[in-house]
């Protein structure tokens, strides 16, 4: 078993969608993408955003871009136009997700 | 349709209202280009513009556009580059007049300007609600009726069709209200290639192209994880699509500009602000972002092909802004040791002193954030142990502006009557500002009528 932070497998971009954010994770290669598809579940992402977000997480698979797109609900402390948070638009949620650590059968390196 | 140029080059020079004025100039001067699009509108921009209009009848549009036009139009008219901008905001007549003024000031002859309107349904909203259109909130399902009095703006996201009508009339500049961002690209491609809006695959391709470039530098190396390795970020090139008649296109930028276009920069932007990628709903089409092949075909050249789309829906999305009271946030820098504890105590002192004066804020109206103690990655990264300094951000919301002003007055006294090491109270007392609630909804396409007015500036 190896504990691997997400930033070793891919990168991410996030943005606001009203009172929600989306975080897209893009794998560096096909092997990494297979690992993400298997291990990076919506439940894992929801648990990771537990302190910042209040709602469910939906995952959409985008194989042509080696990507998973997560919509994280109620993640801005109100709507992007109403939230008083420093990051009222979820710009940093991409970096936040990359700190998630996956337990993989072996280190992909 | 007219000259069947192959490929057709569309560059986007503004990713939002407030973007740099250098980018459009670089696009039109730095290499070949046929269309310059300028995307000015975000979700709440319309409400900000409506506030400006309330204070000044000649305001209410993206005034930055005038400066961009002043800088780029001489080159554009000389080289036949046509400009498409959703800059008219909530005051198309004033915007149009100002645009014509810029053309006159530049001394350009025979420039034709089109104004596309019909997106703004603010004045019609009560009648539409009375007619049974419920404008149910897309997030909550709640009908709008109970909140009509708080509405400050309402704009339908219109599509490419009226912009195509304007281009067919041979205009040099098209200025629209709330035209959806990708439609700014869909219109010139349909116009040039003679594509029908009923050809859903081609319109989906153009929509994906428009989506990739609509945020400007975000697809050419901006806001990107390899930021340390991006060449010449200071002179970052803004994106261009080179579109072919078969619907495939190459995303690129001018030679000699900074930045980077590769699989990763394009893939990241394709999923920016995305929901279900198989079902991207625009006014023109429902595009499937999972249908395309994205491949690097050269330095700073990424080809996107194979787009599939299906028929558009019967409704337009409507962005409605609702007045939601006021907000104010103050900021103090707190030096250590014990900076985090000091910041928390300081915010408690503040609310306690206000309460002593009869100014009570319910807990749900209060906001306290200690920047430096791990607010961005709460629960994701370990909090720092005794950081040398933190920034206390403390704020309140509510309907009573006076009460919020009273809050602001109580911040500075904390520097001499609170814990030691408070500083950084720069800029004076923070001022309460209005809060806008964003209410996304749908409306039947049949009730929105767009218009195209063309003026030739003599």
């Amino acid at each position: 078993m190896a504990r691997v932070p997400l930033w070793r497998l891919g990168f991410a971009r996030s943005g606001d969608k009203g009172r929600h954010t989306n975080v897209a994770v893009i794998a560096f290669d096909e092997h990494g993408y297979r690992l993400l598809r298997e291990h990076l579940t919506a439940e894992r992402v929801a648990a990771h955003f537990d302190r910042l977000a209040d709602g469910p997480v939906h995952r959409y698979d985008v194989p042509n871009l080696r990507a998973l797109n997560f919509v994280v609900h109620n993640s801005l402390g109100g709507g992007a136009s109403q939230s008083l948070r420093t990051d009222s638009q979820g710009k940093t949620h991409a970096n936040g997700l990359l700190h998630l650590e996956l337990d993989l059968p072996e280190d992909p390196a | 349709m007219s000259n069947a140029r192959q490929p057709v080059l569309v560059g986007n020079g503004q990713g939002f209202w407030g973007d740099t004025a250098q980018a459009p100039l670089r696009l039109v001067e730095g290499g070949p280009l046929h269309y310059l699009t300028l995307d000015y509108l975000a979700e709440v921009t319309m409400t900000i513009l409506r506030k400006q209009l309330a204070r000044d009848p000649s305001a209410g549009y993206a005034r930055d556009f005038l400066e961009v036009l002043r800088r780029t139009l001489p080159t554009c008219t000389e080289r036949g580059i046509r400009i498409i901008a959703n800059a008219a905001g909530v005051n198309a007549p004033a915007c149009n007049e100002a645009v014509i003024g810029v053309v006159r000031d530049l001394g350009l002859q025979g420039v034709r300007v089109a104004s596309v309107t019909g997106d703004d349904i603010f004045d019609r909203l009560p009648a539409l609600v009375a007619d049974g259109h419920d404008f149910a909130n897309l997030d909550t399902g709640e009908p709008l009726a109970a909140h009509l009095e708080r509405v400050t703006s309402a704009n339908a996201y219109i599509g490419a069709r009226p912009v195509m009508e304007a281009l067919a009339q041979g205009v040099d500049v098209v200025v629209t209200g709330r035209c959806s961002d990708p439609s700014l690209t869909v219109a010139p491609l349909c116009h040039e290639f003679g594509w029908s809006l009923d050809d859903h695959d081609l319109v989906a391709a153009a929509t994906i192209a428009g989506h990739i470039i609509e945020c400007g530098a975000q697809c050419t190396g901006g806001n990107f994880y390899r930021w340390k390795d991006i060449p010449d970020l200071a002179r970052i090139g803004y994106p261009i699509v080179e579109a072919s008649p078969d619907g495939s296109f190459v995303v690129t930028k001018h030679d000699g500009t900074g930045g980077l276009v590769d699989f990763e920069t394009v893939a990241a932007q394709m999923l920016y602000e995305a929901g279900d990628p198989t079902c991207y709903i625009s006014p023109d089409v429902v595009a499937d972002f999972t249908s395309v092949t994205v491949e690097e075909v050269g330095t700073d050249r990424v080809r996107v092909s194979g787009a599939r789309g299906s028929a558009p829906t019967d409704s337009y999305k409507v962005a409605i802004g609702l007045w939601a009271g006021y907000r104010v946030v103050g900021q103090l820098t707190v030096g250590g040791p014990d900076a985090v504890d000091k910041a928390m105590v300081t915010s408690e002192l503040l609310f306690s002193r206000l309460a002593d004066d009869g100014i009570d804020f319910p807990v749900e109206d209060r906001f306290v954030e200690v920047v430096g103690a791990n607010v961005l990655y709460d629960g994701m990264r370990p909090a720092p142990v005794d950081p040398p300094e933190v920034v206390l951000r403390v704020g309140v919301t509510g309907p009573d502006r006076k009460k919020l002003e009273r809050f602001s007055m109580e911040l500075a006294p904390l520097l001499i009557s609170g814990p030691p090491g408070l500083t950084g109270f720069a800029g004076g007392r923070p001022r309460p500002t209005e809060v806008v609630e964003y209410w996304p909804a749908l409306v039947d396409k049949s009730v929105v009528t767009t218009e195209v007015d063309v003026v030739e500036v003599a």
Side-chain angles (χ1 to χ4, degrees), chain A residues 60-109:
Chain A
Y60 300 97
D61 292 18
V62 197
N64 58 326
L65 302 179
R66 298 194 305 261
L68 301 177
N69 184 40
F70 294 94
V71 176
V72 185
H73 288 258
N74 302 313
S75 50
L76 298 174
S81 63
Q82 291 174 280
S83 168
L84 301 190
R85 286 188 190 172
T86 289
D87 188 13
S88 61
Q89 293 180 293
K91 299 272 185 201
T92 61
H93 290 186
N95 279 302
L97 181 57
L98 293 179
H99 288 294
L100 187 149
E101 293 181 321
L102 294 174
D103 286 319
L104 302 178
E106 59 183 61
D107 196 298

Side-chain angles (χ1 to χ4, degrees), chain B residues 32 82 258:
Chain B
R82 305 167 89 179

Side-chain angles (χ1 to χ4, degrees), chain B residues 43-48 50 89-90 118-126 128-129 135 144 148 150-158 177-178 317-322 436-441 443 448:
Chain B
E43 282 178 350
V44 294
T45 310
M46 287 302 191
T47 284
I48 298 167
R50 193 161 278 288
V90 295
D119 62 296
D120 193 340
I121 58 170
F122 175 69
D123 293 333
R124 298 171 55 202
L125 213 51
L128 287 169
V129 168
F135 295 96
L144 181 67
L148 260 184
R150 293 198 291 130
V151 173
T152 55
S153 69
N155 294 80
Y157 285 69
I158 58 176
R178 205 341 151 191
K317 187 175 173 184
V318 184
I320 300 172
L322 303 185
V436 176
E437 180 183 345
Y438 176 67
W439 184 287
V443 68
V448 175

Side-chain angles (χ1 to χ4, degrees), chain B residues 117-184:
Chain B
T117 54
D119 62 296
D120 193 340
I121 58 170
F122 175 69
D123 293 333
R124 298 171 55 202
L125 213 51
L128 287 169
V129 168
D131 273 356
H133 299 276
D134 65 1
F135 295 96
N137 187 308
L138 287 174
D139 278 332
T140 65
E142 188 188 359
L144 181 67
H147 305 279
L148 260 184
E149 287 189 354
R150 293 198 291 130
V151 173
T152 55
S153 69
N155 294 80
Y157 285 69
I158 58 176
R161 192 180 298 278
V163 180
M164 289 164 65
E165 286 169 23
L167 294 173
Q169 294 185 51
V171 302
D172 304 282
V173 181
V174 184
V175 186
T176 79
R178 205 341 151 191
C179 183
S180 88
D181 308 341
S183 302
L184 301 177

Side-chain angles (χ1 to χ4, degrees), chain B residues 148-320:
Chain B
L148 260 184
E149 287 189 354
R150 293 198 291 130
V151 173
T152 55
S153 69
N155 294 80
Y157 285 69
I158 58 176
R161 192 180 298 278
V163 180
M164 289 164 65
E165 286 169 23
L167 294 173
Q169 294 185 51
V171 302
D172 304 282
V173 181
V174 184
V175 186
T176 79
R178 205 341 151 191
C179 183
S180 88
D181 308 341
S183 302
L184 301 177
T185 300
V186 172
L189 297 188
C190 287
H191 170 72
E192 288 281 339
F193 294 132
W195 294 345
S196 159
L197 282 173
D198 295 328
D199 194 324
H200 306 310
D201 290 345
L202 292 172
V203 176
T207 298
I208 293 170
H211 175 81
I212 290 171
I213 64 172
E214 75 185 35
C215 290
Q218 272 204 156
C219 75
T220 56
N223 184 19
F224 189 58
Y225 79 105
R226 281 184 277 144
W227 58 278
K228 285 181 184 169
D229 303 322
I230 303 289
D232 200 12
L233 210 45
R235 280 158 214 87
I236 190 165
Y238 271 52
I240 296 165
V241 288
E242 295 180 2
S244 297
D246 66 356
S248 67
F249 58 91
V250 170
V251 184
T252 187
K253 63 188 188 67
H254 282 321
D255 288 343
T257 58
L260 175 76
V261 180
D262 69 7
F263 174 86
E264 291 186 338
T265 68
V266 171
Q269 188 53 28
M270 280 181 70
L271 295 175
Y272 182 64
E273 295 179 344
D276 178 353
T278 63
C279 184
Y280 177 94
I281 301 172
S282 91
D284 306 314
V285 73
V286 178
D288 180 356
F289 279 43
T290 67
S291 65
V292 294
T293 302
V294 179
E295 55 196 332
E296 294 176 4
V297 291
T299 305
D300 293 321
R301 295 180 65 79
V302 171
R303 184 169 185 267
V304 180
S305 58
R308 303 297 299 272
S310 51
T313 66
D314 294 330
S315 47
Y316 287 120
K317 187 175 173 184
V318 184
I320 300 172

